[in-house]
Amino acid sequence: MNSGVTDTVQALESGLQHDGFRFVEAVTMRELLEAERPLADWTAFADSWNDLGPDNYLARHGRERRRRYAVYSAGPDGEIRREAHQPHYQSLDYNSLQGDIERWFEPIAANIGEGESLRRILAFCHGFFGALAPAISGWHIEVHQFRIEARPGQAGEPTPEGVHRDGVDYVLVLLIDRQNIVSGTTTIHSGDGRELGSFTLTTPLDAALVDDSRVFHGVTAVTPQDPILPAHRDVLVVTLRARDSSAPR
């Protein structure tokens, strides 16, 4: 890792430790992910958002979202392994809309899950967040591909549960694509509801780094800029939870 990248990482770590979150502009995030070489499969990676499955659980509430999901683990050896496909679970304490149920989503495609772009993103998360918690020997890592669709008269809701915590230790939100939408502003809040900051992911690779144990986050609804054209917001969300934590949150 060159000195410029090292300095950037250290500045982000310091900011996250101080504030509980950091917004990272695309140019900086690209520098971090491409420190060794370009992301050769990025086009195919981004195109995979056109093949996400429906979120049937959210559709029951009259909302539109498409997604795929995968679980990985990382141990003391640093190797990141994909685990068998399993449901996503959050308790009602963290998700008042869809908590206390096992939600099965279509798996992230094998070629995407083992592709260079995702593997590089996971390696960054493991290295960056792991440095903030060196006592943790292993991590449970969940990966979500999300597409939020907006239609005339029907806003898309990136966080339909409202301002919340995910019940993990750390979160990366990475913008993949943003087409014909307005708003989608991320807000960060303290436990008492006070807003600590806000920013909008507008350029592919814009990112949010969040200490989920300390702050809450939410994203405002998105609406079509041109009502006659398709409108969506594509993001990758990666969460890390200490593997020796007692139970799913």
Side-chain angles (χ1 to χ4, degrees):
M1 188 181 294
N2 64 53
S3 60
V5 170
T6 299
D7 290 345
T8 299
V9 169
Q10 290 176 344
L12 290 173
E13 288 175 345
S14 177
L16 196 72
Q17 288 172 320
H18 185 268
D19 299 324
F21 72 98
R22 267 295 175 266
F23 166 63
V24 188
E25 292 186 346
V27 63
T28 300
M29 199 67 204
R30 182 176 292 279
E31 179 185 41
L32 296 174
L33 294 176
E34 296 188 335
E36 298 179 2
R37 59 186 182 277
L39 295 172
D41 69 337
W42 179 263
T43 298
F45 178 66
D47 285 347
S48 71
W49 266 255
N50 294 317
D51 189 35
L52 303 188
D55 183 340
N56 293 319
Y57 301 91
L58 195 61
R60 296 171 189 170
H61 299 273
R63 299 176 174 92
E64 293 296 329
R65 179 163 67 185
R66 304 182 70 83
R67 67 193 295 175
R68 286 182 181 269
Y69 172 73
V71 174
Y72 294 77
S73 64
D77 59 1
E79 183 180 353
I80 300 172
R81 306 171 181 85
R82 186 164 183 175
E83 299 295 328
H85 194 52
Q86 54 196 267
H88 177 50
Y89 177 87
Q90 291 174 294
S91 72
L92 279 170
D93 293 335
Y94 294 101
N95 190 329
S96 60
L97 185 64
Q98 300 175 96
D100 282 359
I101 58 173
E102 292 186 343
R103 289 181 286 162
W104 287 93
F105 302 110
E106 292 187 20
I108 292 176
N111 64 314
I112 299 301
E114 296 302 323
E116 185 174 15
S117 289
L118 184 54
R119 280 290 174 174
R120 198 86 60 83
I121 292 164
L122 293 178
F124 165 78
C125 290
H126 183 232
F128 180 82
F129 294 126
L132 297 173
I136 302 302
S137 61
W139 296 95
H140 175 83
I141 304 171
E142 297 182 60
V143 182
H144 308 257
Q145 291 180 289
F146 287 111
R147 168 166 286 182
I148 305 301
E149 299 174 331
R151 297 181 174 86
Q154 183 178 339
E157 298 181 68
T159 54
E161 63 272 48
V163 173
H164 66 287
R165 288 172 54 209
D166 287 337
V168 297
D169 293 296
Y170 298 106
V171 180
L172 164 75
V173 182
L174 186 70
L175 185 70
I176 305 300
D177 187 36
R178 178 184 170 102
Q179 291 291 329
N180 187 40
I181 60 169
V182 177
S183 193
T185 296
T186 298
T187 58
I188 306 294
H189 303 258
S190 62
D192 62 7
R194 179 169 50 93
E195 185 174 311
L196 302 175
S198 66
F199 47 85
T200 304
L201 308 181
T202 59
T203 303
L205 287 175
D206 276 354
L209 305 172
V210 180
D211 183 340
D212 192 66
S213 68
R214 291 175 54 196
V215 299
F216 291 68
H217 65 278
V219 184
T220 60
V222 298
T223 56
Q225 189 167 31
D226 185 336
I228 68 172
L229 297 176
H232 64 256
R233 178 181 187 264
D234 293 349
V235 298
L236 180 79
V237 175
V238 180
T239 68
L240 283 78
R241 175 168 54 82
R243 198 168 59 187
D244 48 9
S245 296
S246 57
R249 305 187 203 182

